[in-house]
Amino acid sequence: AQSLVSISVSESGPRKMASTITSCIVYERGQEPVKDAVLDEAWGWFVVVGFGVFFTVFTMWLTRFETNTLGTAMSSEQFNTAGRNVGAGLTAAVIVSQWTWAATLLMSSNMGWRVGVSGPFWYASGATVQILLFAVLAIQVKRRASHMHTFMEIVKARFGTVTHCIMIVFALMANMIVTAMLLLGGAATISDLTGISKLWAAFLIPLLSCWIYTMYGGLKATFFASYVHTSVIFLMLIVFTFSVYASSGDSSGLYGSPEKVYSGLQQASLHGFFTSTGTACDFDPSNERCVQNTQKSVGDFSALDSFIENDGTCFTADKRETGKACKFQPKSSGTCCAFDLGKKITSTQYCRADKGDCVDVGAKSYESTGCNADEQCVPSFLTMGSPSGLLFGITNIVGNFGTVFVDQSYWQSAVAAKPKSAVLGFLIGGMVWFAVPFCMATTTGLAGRA
């Protein structure tokens, strides 16, 4: 149930005027505010239940078809290793499906939106290295431990029981983190798009989308499902790519061709550093330090701090590009704003100095180099010179080594592959996977910012 409460707040001291908070809504524990979803809730149930049932039935049929056609008998070894005879193509498709997490689609797009074209590149390249290097382990598995089932068996045989127990903890933690991210990311995305309950989505997705057919057909069934998943992913990417870069677009004129997206990103940069920044007197013209009432209207721009250190170009006050390169760097001391604005400035507005090109972004201050005194530096989304993107790339490379080399699913793919297909499957899978986050982020991420 919901109750509408009107609250009146009075303040003592110099300000004795009572201010009234209009209303607030109190929810029972476990309830959520009603959100306007893009699609109807029925579409959410169709995706969760319909696609789940489709994948389950289709995968079980493929498993039964292979069993009847090839005469494969189901045994414990077949269930856990898929017969150790999977080819390079299916291995590559499985790698693409396994490495496509919620973050692959969501975080890559967010990085494209935040830092520009460097975000998609560093996300994709930073997570491809591990798969390519795992090809070395894949062939060593086939050479030196051809009868293994889990990489824990190798750890125990080589390093003993103590190390084995320690690695079990790391492996379980990695699997729990990955599973939680996949479930929560998928459930949250479907919930935001359709309004379906996150709890129901998180409960039904693993039950209908993987658990039933895995219990029926074992590892080979998951490989068949992964092939279908990869096909759907690339079909989606083709739709996004043509919609953003080879279509009629919409009335906004911000996407539909590379020229429109390019122009939109340039205008976004100009909006961020011209429209959403202002001097202290623009925000508080009544302050005693403001001798002239020259207030201008200041707009809003989200996450200016994410790309302010990107390589940029100098612009004149009337937004004409000069062609000179410039760059913002953190200020060694002090702030740019002439005086403290308090609550007169929002988190999506930014105060700049009265003289010089210096901007306060949150608690940090940045000043530019390379421009004349009457010019402003405007960082670009269309540059690889992005410290934020590079830092993310380094973090991505280091962190993803753990999520690949301690994840049993990649070792299972190596176990199931034919000896001559193991290396080729991982190399193809890594290179093909690169296209997934890169394409997703350079379409939805850049078009969203434009």
Side-chain angles (χ1 to χ4, degrees), residues 17 34 66 90 116 169 202 246 256 278:
M17 184 182 299
V34 178
E66 185 200 36
L90 187 56
V169 174

Side-chain angles (χ1 to χ4, degrees), residues 264-283:
L265 290 173
Q266 284 190 316
Q267 293 302 316
S269 299
L270 291 173
H271 176 82
F273 284 87
F274 276 92
T275 308
S276 67
T277 63
T279 64
C281 290
D282 291 329
F283 293 98

